[in-house]
C-alpha cells in the first residue's frame, strides 16, 4: 500500500500477530503480544521466522486460519505467489499462483481450518489446502455480478462469502456464485468489510462512511446505520478529518478493553450527514454501557475505537449515531439516574448525579442538545488515536 496507509491486520487470538517484509526473499515473523512491561526489545517476542523464497520481493497480505496454526502469505511478485505455512514448525506446506493480474486481498475463512480466498482484478478465487497441493475454484458472477475489481473479502458463519467492489457495490456469494448485491453501498470503492455474528456486516468505503448492514444480509437497501468518519474532531487535524476512510476492522467484547478505552474526543454535529454531535465524556466504554467495540484502522494512519450498544429492538447500532432505518437518533442521551461502574478515572460507582462533574458548567451546556432529551447528556462512544 501507499505510505501511512493501513492495508490489513489479523490477530486470531489476541496473543499473536504476523508481519511481512518488503525485500527480496521476504521474511515473515510471528510475534507474541505481551503485556507491556517496559521491555523495548521485540526480538524476545519472536515466535517464528519464515522466508517466502529468493525470487519474491515483498509480502502483500497475511492471514491466520481459524485454529491459528496456519498462516497464508501473498507475495507481490508478477505471479502473486501464495504460500501456506505451519508457522509453529516454520515449514512451508503449500505454494501456488494466485493470479497474473492485481490481487487485492488474501484471507482465510475464519470458520474453516483450511479454506481461504483471494480477490482482485475481475476475479474471486476459493482455495483449499488439498491433500498434496492447493485446490482452487473460480467464483461465477452469473446475472447479478459484473466483471469489475473485488477490493476486499470476508466470510459469514452461514457459508456466505462477501466482497467489496471498486464501484462501491457489495457482492454476496453462495456456493461459488453471486446470489445477492448491495448496490451502491458506498459512493466509491469498498475498502473494508467485517462480519460480526449477531451484529451485522460492517463496511467502509472511500469517502469516509462506516455502515452496518442486516446480519442476515436480507435487507440490501437500507443500512442499520451510517457514520461519517469526518465528524471526529481531532485538534489540529482538519485535513486529516476531510480525507479519512476506514480500511481494516476488528471486533471485541473483552471486558478489559471496554474498561480501558475511553470516549476522549468531541463529535461535530452534522445532521445533514447523519451525525449527532456530542462532547467528550472521558468515560470508559464500559461505564457508558457499550456491549462491544469496533477497532477501525484508517487510510490516514490512525485507529478509531467505536463502542456499540444494543438497543431495545435487538438491533445493534452505534451510540450517538443516526438510526437510518427508523429515521431517529439512536440514543436519547444519559440522564442523572444512569449508573456507572467507576471504571474511568473521572467516575465513581453510582448514578451520574453523584459524579462531581455532573453539574459543572461545561456539562450543563451540553445537556438536552444534539437530540438528547432535556437534562440528558448526548454521547458518542469512541476514541481516536493517531501514530
Amino acid at each position: 500500500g501507499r505510505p501511512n496507509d493501513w492495508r490489513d491486520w489479523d490477530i486470531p487470538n489476541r496473543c499473536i500477530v504476523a508481519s511481512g517484509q518488503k525485500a527480496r526473499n521476504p521474511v515473515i515473523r510471528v510475534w507474541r503480544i505481551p503485556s507491556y512491561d517496559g521491555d523495548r526489545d521485540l526480538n524476545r517476542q519472536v515466535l517464528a521466522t519464515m522466508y517466502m523464497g529468493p525470487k519474491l520481493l515483498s509480502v502483500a497480505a497475511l492471514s491466520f486460519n481459524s485454529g491459528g496454526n496456519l498462516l497464508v502469505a501473498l507475495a507481490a511478485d508478477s505471479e502473486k505467489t501464495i504460500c501456506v505455512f505451519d508457522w509453529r514448525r516454520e515449514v512451508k506446506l503449500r505454494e501456488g499462483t494466485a493470479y497474473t493480474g492485481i490481487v487485492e486481498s488474501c484471507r482465510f475463512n475464519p470458520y474453516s481450518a483450511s479454506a481461504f480466498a483471494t480477490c482482485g482484478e475481475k476475479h474471486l478465487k476459493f482455495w483449499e489446502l488439498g491433500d498434496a497441493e492447493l485446490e482452487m475454484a473460480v467464483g461465477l458472477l452469473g446475472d447479478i455480478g459484473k466483471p469489475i475489481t473485488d477490493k476486499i473479502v470476508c466470510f459469514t458463519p452461514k457459508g456466505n462469502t462477501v466482497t467489496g467492489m471498486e464501484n462501491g457495490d457489495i457482492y454476496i456469494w453462495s456456493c461459488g456464485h453471486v446470489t445477492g448485491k448491495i448496490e451502491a453501498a458506498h459512493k466509491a470503492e469498498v475498502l473494508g468489510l467485517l462480519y460480526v455474528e449477531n451484529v451485522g456486516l460492517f463496511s467502509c468505503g472511500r469517502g469516509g462512511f462506516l455502515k452496518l448492514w442486516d446480519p442476515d444480509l436480507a435487507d440490501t437497501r437500507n443500512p442499520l446505520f451510517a457514520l461519517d468518519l469526518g465528524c471526529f474532531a481531532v485538534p489540529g487535524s482538519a485535513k486529516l478529518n476531510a480525507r479519512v476512510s476506514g480500511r481494516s476492522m476488528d471486533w471485541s467484547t473483552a471486558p478489559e478493553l471496554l474498561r480501558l478505552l475511553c470516549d476522549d474526543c468531541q463529535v461535530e454535529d452534522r445532521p445533514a450527514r447523519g451525525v449527532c454531535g456530542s462532547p467528550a465524556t472521558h468515560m470508559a466504554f464500559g461505564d457508558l454501557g457499550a456491549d462491544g467495540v469496533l477497532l477501525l484502522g484508517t487510510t490516514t494512519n490512525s485507529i478509531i475505537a467505536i463502542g456499540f450498544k444494543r438497543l431495545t429492538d435487538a438491533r445493534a447500532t452505534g451510540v450517538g449515531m443516526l438510526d437510518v432505518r427508523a429515521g431517529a437518533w439512536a440514543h436519547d442521551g444519559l440522564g442523572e439516574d444512569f449508573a456507572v461502574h467507576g471504571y474511568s478515572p473521572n467516575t465513581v460507582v453510582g448514578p451520574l448525579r453523584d459524579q462531581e462533574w455532573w453539574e459543572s458548567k461545561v456539562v450543563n451546556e451540553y445537556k438536552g442538545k444534539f437530540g438528547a432529551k432535556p437534562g440528558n447528556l448526548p454521547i458518542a462512544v469512541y476514541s481516536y488515536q493517531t501514530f
Side-chain angles (χ1 to χ4, degrees):
R2 294 182 293 276
N4 298 329
D5 188 358
W6 288 93
R7 289 290 295 178
D8 202 4
W9 62 35
D10 193 8
I11 308 176
N13 55 13
R14 305 300 191 277
C15 296
I16 58 173
V17 65
S19 64
Q21 185 184 28
K22 184 178 181 180
R24 185 171 295 278
N25 193 13
V27 178
I28 297 172
R29 289 190 171 92
V30 178
W31 310 74
R32 178 189 295 109
I33 304 175
S35 298
Y36 184 66
D37 58 3
D39 185 0
R40 295 177 179 269
D41 187 358
L42 293 180
N43 290 322
R44 283 193 275 269
Q45 309 304 334
V46 176
L47 299 176
T49 300
M50 297 151 289
Y51 296 87
M52 290 200 69
K55 296 183 180 180
L56 307 182
L57 295 178
S58 65
V59 179
L62 292 165
S63 180
F64 289 95
N65 72 337
S66 60
N69 61 310
L70 301 182
L71 179 68
V72 62
L74 173 69
D77 61 322
S78 59
E79 295 184 340
K80 307 302 184 294
T81 301
I82 296 173
C83 299
V84 180
F85 295 91
D86 181 338
W87 66 265
R88 290 191 176 97
R89 296 190 294 141
E90 299 182 343
V91 173
K92 186 188 294 185
L93 301 179
R94 303 284 189 276
E95 183 173 327
T97 298
Y99 192 64
T100 54
I102 297 173
V103 179
E104 296 281 358
S105 181
C106 177
R107 185 170 294 182
F108 258 113
N109 185 336
Y111 307 102
S112 169
S114 60
F116 63 95
T118 58
C119 68
E121 184 181 10
K122 301 180 180 180
H123 79 283
L124 170 66
K125 292 184 177 181
F126 302 94
W127 301 82
E128 281 278 354
L129 293 186
D131 295 332
E133 58 184 22
L134 291 174
E135 299 174 355
M136 183 270 294
V138 177
L140 302 177
L141 296 170
D143 297 329
I144 300 176
K146 296 179 180 179
I148 55 179
T149 297
D150 301 69
K151 302 294 291 185
I152 189 72
V153 61
C154 74
F155 306 88
T156 77
K158 293 183 178 180
N160 296 112
T161 302
V162 184
T163 56
M165 314 304 291
E166 65 176 350
N167 68 342
D169 291 349
I170 294 175
Y171 287 0
I172 302 166
W173 304 71
S174 180
C175 300
H177 295 74
V178 178
T179 57
K181 177 169 66 172
I182 303 176
E183 193 168 0
H186 294 274
K187 292 183 178 180
E189 58 184 336
V190 179
L191 299 176
L193 289 173
L194 176 69
Y195 185 86
V196 179
E197 195 169 0
N198 298 322
V199 176
L201 174 69
F202 289 99
S203 68
C204 292
R206 182 77 66 184
F209 271 87
L210 168 70
K211 297 184 179 182
L212 177 65
W213 304 89
D214 176 20
D216 295 325
L217 301 179
D219 187 348
T220 58
R221 297 179 62 87
N222 303 302
L224 299 181
F225 76 78
L227 172 66
D228 181 6
L229 301 180
C231 73
F232 295 155
V234 183
S237 302
K239 291 184 178 179
L240 178 69
N241 293 353
R243 56 190 174 87
V244 65
S245 296
R247 182 184 288 279
S248 300
M249 291 177 280
D250 194 17
W251 173 264
S252 178
T253 57
E256 296 83 2
L257 202 59
L258 295 174
R259 295 189 191 111
L260 291 173
L261 289 174
C262 294
D263 168 30
D264 285 335
C265 264
Q266 176 186 348
V267 174
E268 297 175 352
D269 189 45
R270 302 173 68 180
R273 302 206 62 176
V275 177
C276 181
S278 69
T281 65
H282 305 292
M283 288 196 291
F285 287 10
D287 275 341
L288 291 166
D291 299 317
V293 58
L294 179 73
L295 299 175
L296 177 63
T298 75
T299 56
T300 52
N301 201 32
S302 60
I303 296 176
I304 301 171
I306 305 174
F308 286 81
K309 181 177 178 62
R310 190 170 298 276
L311 299 183
T312 55
D313 63 358
R315 286 188 292 110
T317 190
V319 177
M321 300 174 189
L322 184 65
D323 184 341
V324 176
R325 177 176 294 178
W329 295 118
H331 201 278
D332 294 327
L334 302 182
E336 62 177 12
D337 295 328
F338 185 84
V340 298
H341 302 282
Y343 298 139
S344 321
N346 64 336
T347 62
V348 295
V349 178
L352 288 182
R353 73 167 71 89
D354 292 345
Q355 312 304 317
E356 63 178 17
W357 46 263
W358 178 249
E359 294 297 340
S360 68
K361 181 180 178 181
V362 173
V363 172
N364 284 332
E365 288 178 351
Y366 279 104
K367 289 178 181 177
K369 290 186 177 180
F370 308 137
K373 289 183 177 180
N376 286 13
L377 180 68
I379 62 168
V381 186
Y382 81 97
S383 62
Y384 193 112
Q385 184 176 7
T386 59
F387 296 90

